[in-house]
Amino acid sequence: MLTESSVYSALTDIFSDVLDNDNIVLTRDTTAKDIDGWDSLTNIQIMLRTGQVFKLHFSAGQIQSFHNVGDLVAFIVDKSKS
Amino acid sequence: MIDTLYEDLAWLPAAPPDFRERCRLVAQNDDPGRELRALASYALSTPQLNRLASAFERVTSPSDRLPQLAPFRLGLLGNGTLDAIAPAIVASSLRHGFAMECVTVPFGTFAQQAYDPASLIHRARCDAVLLALDARALPLHGPAMDREEARTVVDGAVAVLDGLRSALHAGSGTTCIVQTLAAFPETLFGNADRRTSTTSRYLVDAFNERLIAGLTGSPDVLLDCAALAETVGLGRWHSPAQWNLAKLPFADAYVPVYADQVARLVGAIKGKSRRCLVLDLDNTVWGGVVGDVGMENIAIAEGDAVGEAFRSVQRFALELRERGVVLAVSSKNDDAVARRVFREHPDMLLRENHIAVFQANWKDKASNIKAISEELSLGLDAFVFLDDNPAERGIVRQMLPDVAVPELPADPAYYARTLAAAGYFESTVFSPEDRQRADYYERNAKRVALQKELGGLDEYLASLDMEITFSPFDAYGRDRIAQLINKSNQFNLTTKRYTPAEIAQLERDSDVLALQIRLSDVFGDNGMISVVICRRADRAVWTIDTWLMSCRVLGRGVERMVLRELIARARACGIARLTGYFIPTGRNELVRDHYASLGFRPDGEAWCYDVTESEPEPTMRVRYG
């Protein structure tokens, strides 16, 4: 099972890589509005890479259900329990 | 690696850990063009391509900072989201020597852009426009139809594309790059889809056929997207999820290989494709080291699984030659031994007359390739070098960065596929003159006098981070020691053979110094690569009974390190002198000058070294096992 902090750390790497920005700080409440360059296209790339890293597939419905980074982290941690 | 050859661009070396840092520092680099090209030469993922494209954008002005990159402006028109693809094309174009500017237009406006003479795409005066349309962009559907009706539907779809092409030609005189359509994996009837005129598969196939036929006599160029998609698998290529979410015309994982295809096609349009394939021999075009195992024992026969793998390399090289690619050889071998295989081995497909320049010698391969380039008057950027040995590949990449050197998988069965996947010899058309080109070069075929060795070799060797390990003979090493002693022919001073039982005895003999020597480097562990046996001939003299080495590590300075070790051990044992002999066998010409080059003095038949003299400087780390 994954810990929240390990998921945040992996996500920070993915965001930094896709957005080419080393100053990314992710919190539970972070949304696309808070981060430069996080738009619909980079969102897809972030979701694809997150899926690869955690060996998950996100359906469109799941992606739409994430309202902030906290939702995404909770989803990944939850999946790792099964 | 083999499963993901195409999506991972596995013919390119992996990106270094400091890739991001280097991208960031490109603008400060003294030669940003060279650095950009170097960074582009790695197997890059989509984010890495984006990063490199950003680094490139930061240095494009003034343009004279990038003298080695040819400018090219490519318009992108398509029905999907191309914003993600454009930076990948820009970065991949650096790999192929272009300073690429991609002109993109708002989503969904491809037809307006083509038909409006005042549009962005026309005003940009593109060198070429890529019409990245997939089956969803064209009217390729309808109610149940017979073959005649299907033909009308296909005609209509081809007319749409032809209309766009004509408008682009008329508006700005640009060349169009058109794509075949990748069929969708979803079937309707199943196995009957291709014979049922109402299905998407039938219409897509008919469209592609018509599109290709319509290109005859046109300056427009084909990007065979259907072939690429089928190669990676239609089920992987098309991602319904990614289309729905972001209108990605194909799965994101294939952006790097698609972008590389576009860039290599631009290279072909501008005549930058490569023209000469330089082949290593041992374990690249046949299995085994011919100088060690003998011509009879190399793996090259039809019917032998190992031999067939190497035959496929030879067959592909011959096919390339048929279409005008010049073949050359650069191999660490005795010239006569290597040529004899081409002349006499009944299973060889490649023959001496297929090879324009044949360089079999013991010099470093970078110098050899440079010599081949001068002999053929072909620039180094026209060369591809195929070698199974990662250290040889590394040395050529480092010293001749313009030469393309594909990574190869461990299994030789995949060598030909990997070489083909790299697309070095991309061509937009095939002309009869191409066929004659190889012959033209072969008429001048001869062995080239060697240039002086290129500088920078020591630096490269240092970058290999080599570690040499000396151990006495022991039970663990016995089998490999026996194998080396009984099979090594080339780097073998005396060619004395010992049975495993005799080798076991040597372990216990107090008058014998017997060393097994291993080498590891950044590429991994090379295993046991050398064996030395010294016998006490006299109270203060060691005779070097056996000194042999695997040719795989030739030119790495191993023999100097071995001498250094022998000197140290001799001093510790109160030995004053080492005495060695070269016993010629017809196969060990390589080491005729071994002792002379190490500083031994001739004394009749023998070679002597006084251990009070200074020892060679260390060039790698030493360990004792």
Side-chain angles (χ1 to χ4, degrees):
Chain A
M1 199 192 111
L2 296 164
T3 62
E4 281 209 2
S5 67
S6 70
V7 176
Y8 273 106
S9 152
L11 285 179
T12 305
D13 286 349
I14 292 166
F15 275 68
S16 307
D17 194 35
V18 172
L19 302 174
D20 193 16
N21 178 351
D22 279 335
N23 303 315
I24 302 261
V25 180
L26 299 178
T27 68
R28 199 175 294 268
D29 299 324
T30 306
T31 68
K33 286 199 298 291
D34 304 318
I35 294 185
D36 276 353
W38 187 1
D39 57 19
S40 59
L41 188 61
T42 48
N43 189 51
I44 297 299
Q45 290 171 346
I46 288 166
M47 295 312 297
L48 287 171
R49 251 150 264 291
T50 304
Q52 278 170 7
V53 167
F54 293 104
K55 308 211 176 354
L56 293 171
H57 174 79
F58 299 104
S59 72
Q62 284 158 349
I63 291 174
Q64 284 165 5
S65 75
F66 302 142
H67 294 107
N68 52 35
V69 170
D71 289 349
L72 174 61
V73 172
F75 181 89
I76 294 168
V77 170
D78 189 52
K79 283 281 171 193
S80 77
K81 289 176 184 162
S82 50
Chain B
M1 174 176 179
I2 285 159
D3 291 340
T4 53
L5 169 63
Y6 301 95
E7 65 179 280
D8 289 348
L9 310 179
W11 55 90
L12 298 173
D18 62 349
F19 179 80
R20 275 176 84 174
E21 189 60 22
R22 281 174 65 185
C23 282
R24 203 162 297 144
L25 296 175
V26 163
Q28 282 100 283
N29 197 292
D30 292 340
D31 190 348
R34 174 164 283 270
E35 175 70 351
L36 285 165
R37 218 179 156 171
L39 288 168
S41 70
Y42 299 113
L44 303 180
S45 65
T46 310
Q48 288 172 323
L49 289 167
N50 289 340
R51 184 151 310 124
L52 182 58
S54 309
F56 166 68
E57 307 293 349
R58 289 198 293 273
V59 294
T60 40
S61 61
S63 58
D64 60 2
R65 292 190 67 192
L66 307 172
Q68 55 283 81
L69 297 170
F72 196 93
R73 188 173 296 142
L74 179 71
L76 283 184
L77 296 183
N79 58 311
T81 303
L82 301 179
D83 296 346
I85 295 171
I89 292 176
V90 169
S92 305
S93 298
L94 295 167
R95 187 179 291 150
H96 295 268
F98 291 97
M100 174 68 78
E101 182 191 342
C102 267
V103 181
T104 54
V105 304
F107 181 82
T109 64
F110 67 87
Q112 295 92 307
Q113 290 287 333
Y115 282 107
D116 176 1
S119 70
L120 184 61
I121 211 83
H122 286 297
R123 276 183 284 127
R125 315 299 303 178
C126 296
D127 297 296
V129 173
L130 171 61
L131 282 164
L133 301 176
D134 68 16
R136 285 170 286 227
L138 297 166
L140 270 177
H141 42 72
M145 52 187 125
D146 61 23
R147 277 174 192 248
E148 209 42 53
E149 289 163 334
R151 189 194 304 274
T152 313
V153 167
V154 170
D155 284 348
V158 170
V160 169
L161 191 62
D162 285 349
L164 295 171
R165 286 168 60 197
S166 308
L168 288 164
H169 294 155
S172 47
T174 187
T175 304
C176 295
I177 301 175
V178 296
Q179 295 188 167
T180 47
L181 307 178
F184 296 104
E186 293 84 1
T187 58
L188 189 58
F189 296 92
N191 290 291
D193 273 28
R194 291 181 107 148
R195 49 185 298 204
T196 309
S197 55
T198 197
T199 65
S200 168
R201 179 83 209 203
Y202 181 93
L203 296 171
V204 163
D205 286 353
F207 176 91
N208 286 342
E209 201 174 305
R210 283 284 312 276
L211 169 67
I212 291 164
L215 287 173
T216 310
S218 153
D220 289 348
V221 172
L222 181 68
L223 176 61
D224 197 352
C225 208
L228 176 62
E230 284 162 15
T231 301
V232 303
L234 293 174
R236 294 173 179 275
W237 178 260
H238 288 293
S239 165
Q242 293 177 37
W243 171 260
N244 294 342
L245 280 166
K247 298 293 170 281
L248 299 187
F250 51 84
D252 173 75
Y254 300 104
V255 167
V257 66
Y258 176 86
D260 192 70
Q261 293 272 346
V262 173
R264 65 175 76 151
L265 202 49
V266 168
I269 291 170
K270 298 303 265 183
K272 284 189 167 226
S273 294
R274 293 180 186 266
R275 298 165 69 179
C276 179
L277 174 62
V278 180
L279 297 161
D280 166 53
L281 297 178
D282 293 329
N283 289 315
T284 299
V285 306
W286 58 66
V289 176
V290 65
D292 285 336
V293 302
M295 189 176 86
E296 316 70 37
N297 295 315
I298 58 172
I300 191 62
E302 189 76 49
D304 163 42
V306 177
E308 286 185 26
F310 292 103
R311 289 176 78 79
S312 71
V313 176
Q314 296 203 14
R315 196 171 296 114
F316 185 48
L318 274 179
E319 285 169 359
L320 286 170
R321 182 184 169 275
E322 278 294 300
R323 52 153 287 197
V325 172
V326 181
L327 302 183
V329 160
S330 173
S331 166
K332 286 187 173 167
N333 254 310
D334 264 348
D335 187 69
V337 171
R339 278 181 198 264
R340 192 167 151 242
V341 181
F342 283 74
R343 286 178 188 153
E344 296 178 21
H345 200 298
D347 291 321
M348 282 288 287
L349 300 172
L350 285 168
R351 295 291 169 189
E352 226 177 344
N353 65 322
H354 299 135
I355 307 297
V357 184
F358 198 106
Q359 292 283 76
N361 54 46
W362 303 99
K363 290 291 170 64
D364 77 273
K365 297 204 176 182
S367 305
N368 272 322
I369 293 169
K370 190 122 194 306
I372 294 170
S373 145
E374 280 160 22
E375 170 65 17
L376 294 173
S377 303
L378 275 174
L380 287 165
D381 58 1
F383 280 79
V384 176
F385 173 56
L386 193 73
D387 196 314
D388 67 299
N389 184 330
E392 300 286 7
R393 298 199 293 262
I395 208 166
V396 171
R397 276 194 202 114
Q398 165 122 353
M399 300 182 71
L400 305 174
D402 290 339
V403 174
V405 185
E407 282 297 277
L408 288 176
D411 186 347
Y414 289 87
Y415 286 180
R417 179 176 294 182
T418 304
L419 176 61
Y424 297 122
F425 308 106
E426 184 76 33
S427 166
T428 57
V429 286
F430 179 59
S431 68
E433 298 82 70
D434 290 332
R435 203 188 301 263
Q436 287 150 15
R437 186 163 357 114
D439 292 333
Y440 164 78
Y441 284 105
E442 281 151 27
R443 274 200 291 278
N444 307 327
K446 59 180 180 214
R447 185 147 56 106
V448 186
L450 266 171
Q451 327 290 309
K452 76 179 198 313
E453 284 178 38
L454 296 171
L457 203 56
D458 292 343
E459 221 171 289
Y460 175 73
L461 291 177
S463 77
L464 288 179
D465 193 25
M466 292 183 284
E467 179 177 272
I468 192 165
T469 305
F470 297 98
S471 320
F473 278 16
D474 57 23
Y476 304 108
R478 211 176 282 157
D479 288 348
R480 173 64 178 158
I481 292 167
Q483 191 186 28
L484 279 171
I485 284 182
N486 292 301
K487 291 251 172 82
S488 297
N489 290 313
Q490 300 189 97
F491 196 112
N492 195 337
L493 274 300
T494 56
T495 320
K496 292 198 179 167
R497 310 299 197 192
Y498 291 102
T499 65
E502 289 167 329
I503 290 166
Q505 264 172 11
L506 290 172
E507 292 165 18
R508 295 187 296 273
D509 191 331
S510 59
D511 279 334
V512 167
L513 170 73
L515 291 175
Q516 45 176 323
I517 298 147
R518 293 162 200 273
L519 185 73
S520 67
D521 57 34
V522 288
F523 299 109
D525 188 358
N526 295 287
M528 192 190 300
I529 42 80
S530 183
V531 169
V532 180
I533 301 169
C534 296
R535 290 177 188 275
R536 193 187 286 264
D538 172 310
R539 210 176 50 78
V541 177
W542 273 346
T543 300
I544 304 172
D545 171 278
T546 294
W547 189 339
L548 61 83
M549 190 176 82
S550 158
C551 289
R552 212 174 159 77
V553 296
L554 210 61
R556 304 277 203 95
V558 169
E559 52 278 36
R560 283 181 188 280
M561 291 302 291
V562 171
L563 175 60
R564 187 181 153 80
E565 184 65 21
L566 290 181
I567 291 168
R569 292 194 186 226
R571 286 174 185 161
C573 296
I575 299 293
R577 205 174 61 179
L578 303 172
T579 305
Y581 296 88
F582 167 68
I583 303 176
T585 61
R587 281 187 174 181
N588 61 351
E589 275 306 293
L590 167 62
V591 288
R592 177 176 288 282
D593 299 325
H594 172 74
Y595 286 120
S597 70
L598 286 176
F600 283 63
R601 267 185 291 276
D603 176 13
E605 291 290 287
W607 292 89
C608 298
Y609 198 98
D610 178 349
V611 304
T612 57
E613 285 177 41
S614 64
E615 68 275 16
E617 287 297 308
T619 52
M620 59 187 83
R621 282 178 289 123
V622 178
R623 238 168 53 105
Y624 296 99

